[in-house]
Amino acid sequence: MKIGQKLILIFLLISALVWISGLISVNLSRKSLERYIGESYISLAVEVLDKIDRHIYNRIEEFQIYCSDKLLQEGILASNQEFEKLDDIEAYITKQDQEWVSAPRELLTPFMQQLINNSMSFELKKKLGFYKKRYGYEVYGEVFATNKYGANVFQTGKTSDYRQNDEKWWQEAQKNGLYIEDVSYDDSSGVYSTAIGLRIDDEDGDFIGVMKVVLNIEELINIINSIKPNKQYPGTYFKLVNKDGKLLYSSKKKGESKLFKELSDIDFFIFNRMENQEGFFT
């Protein structure tokens, strides 16, 4: 083989090696970039969720303390004592509940007014009014407390019914002390919210009632909007979904995302599409 041909062959081999090395380098760089971006977004998501988690539990703790309020407990204990004098407690609650739910939505019967306008209900409404004035929106859709029989005692507004001990939040709160419901539309308060059930015990630790606090998800949205995404990726936006993959909020422009839109079919929720729990998603 002539020297010129050998030189050309050597040159081609060197070029091929350089091209292959460059391809490997680009591929490694791409994977490294994907991993870096993925880890950055995971870190950001953890930060947002941690803030939401701490905020919700601060609200819970605030009302757990309030459940120990002396006047609140005295009022609930008095209600329990009144109910214990009844010949048939269940029949009484059923009758009042039927009259309650059959009344027009906008009507407040004298019985309802008695529960909404008593002194402790006034204190609860004042508490909610303070937060509304401070933040400019209804932080709490409603708050109400029942006696140990599941009947309303104090409330900030008209609830959808009078009997509560047939509700999951009430039963779970009585059993476990605390229940946090998934986000949904609350008929009583008219806001998208998460309901929090709190068991109320007296000074001896005996069960006397349950409190329900309806936390407006506007609180969670404000937390999401307070997080600024990485300047390197200005197109970043957040989607808050529940455990079933339904959309609760998107920081995209209004109109681009529908509340409770089904997202459970996206790769994020289908882990078996990822090999060895590794990969990335958009």
Side-chain angles (χ1 to χ4, degrees), residues 181-194:
E181 206 167 52
D182 209 347
V183 173
S184 62
Y185 183 78
D186 186 75
D187 288 328
S188 293
S189 59
V191 297
Y192 288 99
S193 58
T194 179

Side-chain angles (χ1 to χ4, degrees), residues 5 8 24 32 88 91 95 104 110 112 124 126 128 132 134 155 162 166 196 204 226 229 235 237 243 260 270 274 282:
Q5 290 176 327
I8 292 172
I24 293 171
S32 178
D88 191 333
K95 178 177 179 296
M112 295 175 189
L124 287 171
K126 189 164 72 171
L128 269 57
K132 182 179 180 180
R134 182 173 180 179
Q155 54 196 85
Y162 174 67
D166 57 347
I196 300 166
D204 298 322
S226 71
Y237 63 90
K243 60 182 174 61
F260 295 121
I270 306 176
M274 302 172 68
T282 58

Side-chain angles (χ1 to χ4, degrees), residues 91-132:
Y92 173 79
I93 295 176
T94 298
K95 178 177 179 296
Q96 294 294 350
D97 188 62
Q98 289 173 345
E99 292 177 358
W100 190 291
V101 297
S102 63
R105 187 179 182 88
E106 66 280 359
L107 176 66
L108 288 178
T109 65
F111 181 67
M112 295 175 189
Q113 291 180 32
Q114 178 184 342
L115 297 177
I116 294 172
N117 296 323
N118 58 45
S119 59
M120 186 50 64
S121 295
F122 177 75
E123 287 299 316
L124 287 171
K125 284 187 279 188
K126 189 164 72 171
K127 190 177 184 69
L128 269 57
F130 166 79
Y131 284 107
K132 182 179 180 180

